Amino acid sequence: MIILGFESSCDETGVAAVCTERGLLAHALHTQIAMHQEYGGVVPELASRDHIRRVVPLTRQVLEEAGLAMSDIDAVAYTAGPGLAGALLVGASVAQSFAWSRHLPAIAIHHLEGHLLSPMLADPRPDFPFVALLVSGGHTQLMRVDGVGRYELLGETLDDAAGEAFDKSAKLMGLGYPGGPALARLADSGDAARFDLPRPMLHSGDLDFSFSGLKTAVLTRVKAAEQQAGGLDAQTRADLAAATQAAIVEVLAAKSIRALKQTGLRRLVVAGGVGANQLLRAKLAAALKPLKAQAYFPPLALCTDNGAMIAFAAAERVKAGLVTLDPDAHGFTIRPRWDLADIA
Ligand code: KG4
Ligand code: ZN
């Protein structure tokens, strides 16, 4: 079965074709980063309008690259939530219209389930069960994953998400949007030891996170530099970036190790945009070695939002018998706020 998937929950328009037997056939992505950059963050109305502009050309591109005709598609999938309401509506209505016009079933997918299963697009592919560290701009969660649709929340952030901590700290340092990749790049030339930043909840004994205090600590350092030197000089900015990255990564790595020990599992899957962070990848790989555990990451291009993970999650749900494929059911809702624990 060939599934065409649409992602439009935030600032990336993604389309992909996945075959339940052959895997990913093609995917195409347009990121709106350049468009939102001048506003310092995502402008929801602009995001929705841009999704509308991009979705049809991207769909044509995917069909062409995969060598598929519209008549080859057997089902359509789309991100139903969580995300920006207007943005979600674009992908959902395009997907439903496509499905309706060709009398195909449409499958609503939870965005985080897409991220969660995306490491299975990599080679080697992790077997179940595994612990998943989901680290995106909106979420920071540790989950136990026993199979497709079988997710148990082990811990999560009590305030800011890890990606948000990267983005907000980067903004305080005068870096562009999205801050995570910019901060990580700058950190390469910085000395993390120069600033002693807090590691929130590192020793809390549970699997929860808190990052808002870190942002405040960064703000304090930025203000101090402004008072003492009229602002951050290039080296101080790089050192602060390195210290911030080190603090976030240390907490993420320590809690992931704790989750492995607590569950007795030996596989850790890292998903979501922050999973692209190279220091996080290196720290986890090193920390897992003595535990004889293995870390799995999605291919870098599939770490941030994309259509492949949505089409793939739909294919996995179909294979697991979790979806009703009804070509006549085309009423739909989007769910801007949607807990992964609530997926049916
Ligand atoms: O999963 P994603 O694309 O979108 C959400 O669903 O939120 O994640 C985006 C987040 C942003 O906060 C971005 O700054 C962060 O992932 N990010 C990174 C890196 N690349 C993306 N954070 C740290 N280091 C990176 N290399
Ligand atoms: Zn995402």
Side-chain angles (χ1 to χ4, degrees):
M1 170 185 266
I2 294 176
I3 300 175
L4 187 66
F6 295 91
E7 155 63 34
S8 70
S9 66
C10 188
D11 56 350
E12 261 106 22
T13 321
V15 183
V18 164
C19 172
T20 46
E21 286 83 42
R22 288 180 288 145
L24 180 61
L25 303 179
H27 80 110
L29 189 71
H30 174 79
T31 176
Q32 305 175 351
I33 285 175
M35 185 182 77
H36 296 296
Q37 226 147 23
E38 63 177 294
Y39 305 97
V42 178
V43 184
E45 180 60 25
L46 294 183
S48 315
R49 292 181 193 194
D50 200 61
H51 286 309
I52 293 172
R53 271 194 292 273
R54 307 290 174 180
V55 67
V56 171
L58 287 172
T59 306
R60 286 210 180 95
Q61 188 183 330
V62 165
L63 292 176
E64 197 179 306
E65 279 175 22
L68 297 170
M70 287 225 267
S71 55
D72 294 323
I73 304 299
D74 301 303
V76 182
Y78 61 94
T79 305
L84 301 170
L88 288 167
L89 274 172
V90 177
S93 40
V94 167
Q96 288 284 358
S97 309
F98 190 109
W100 177 80
S101 67
R102 304 213 53 90
H103 199 238
L104 300 174
I107 305 164
I109 293 296
H110 192 294
H111 181 80
L112 292 183
E113 185 174 37
H115 277 304
L116 202 61
L117 299 179
S118 62
M120 297 175 74
L121 282 160
D123 190 21
R125 171 187 166 136
D127 289 326
F128 297 116
F130 55 74
V131 169
L133 171 67
L134 243 175
V135 272
S136 71
H139 292 83
T140 299
Q141 298 183 331
L142 277 161
M143 324 244 349
R144 181 192 166 105
V145 179
D146 284 294
V148 177
R150 294 168 62 202
Y151 314 126
E152 182 197 339
L153 184 66
L154 301 173
E156 65 182 332
T157 184
L158 306 178
D159 41 58
D160 290 350
E164 213 174 346
F166 269 107
D167 293 341
K168 288 180 175 172
S169 302
K171 199 167 192 173
L172 291 170
M173 292 175 215
L175 303 176
Y177 152 88
L183 190 149
R185 259 193 312 277
L186 187 61
D188 282 344
S189 55
D191 172 14
R194 176 159 164 211
F195 294 102
D196 186 18
L197 295 179
R199 269 66 174 155
M201 294 183 74
L202 185 61
H203 302 295
S204 60
D206 56 22
L207 296 172
D208 288 333
F209 304 85
S210 163
F211 289 108
S212 65
L214 179 62
K215 175 188 63 196
T216 311
V218 171
L219 177 63
T220 310
R221 304 303 193 285
V222 172
K223 284 205 165 140
E226 275 166 4
Q227 272 170 4
Q228 286 158 16
L232 293 171
D233 61 69
Q235 192 55 52
T236 306
R237 184 179 281 118
D239 293 344
L240 191 53
T244 306
Q245 175 178 248
I248 297 171
V249 165
E250 187 178 333
V251 178
L252 292 177
K255 297 276 174 164
S256 302
I257 301 302
R258 173 176 277 275
L260 286 174
K261 287 186 174 157
Q262 191 174 304
T263 56
L265 299 180
R266 288 281 171 273
R267 285 180 286 268
L268 176 73
V269 157
V270 183
V274 181
N277 187 274
Q278 294 299 327
L279 183 70
L280 179 64
R281 289 180 172 226
K283 273 265 148 63
L284 282 175
L288 262 53
K289 245 190 188 153
L291 297 178
K292 298 205 169 16
Q294 169 100 29
Y296 296 84
F297 300 94
L300 268 181
L302 302 182
C303 271
T304 46
D305 293 349
N306 63 83
M309 67 182 194
I310 301 305
F312 180 74
E316 291 298 308
R317 290 185 74 79
V318 167
K319 285 198 275 185
L322 292 173
V323 286
T324 314
L325 295 169
D326 181 357
D328 294 312
H330 292 299
F332 68 96
T333 49
I334 49 144
R335 302 183 66 174
R337 289 179 171 275
W338 187 9
D339 201 328
L340 185 56
D342 294 340
I343 64 170

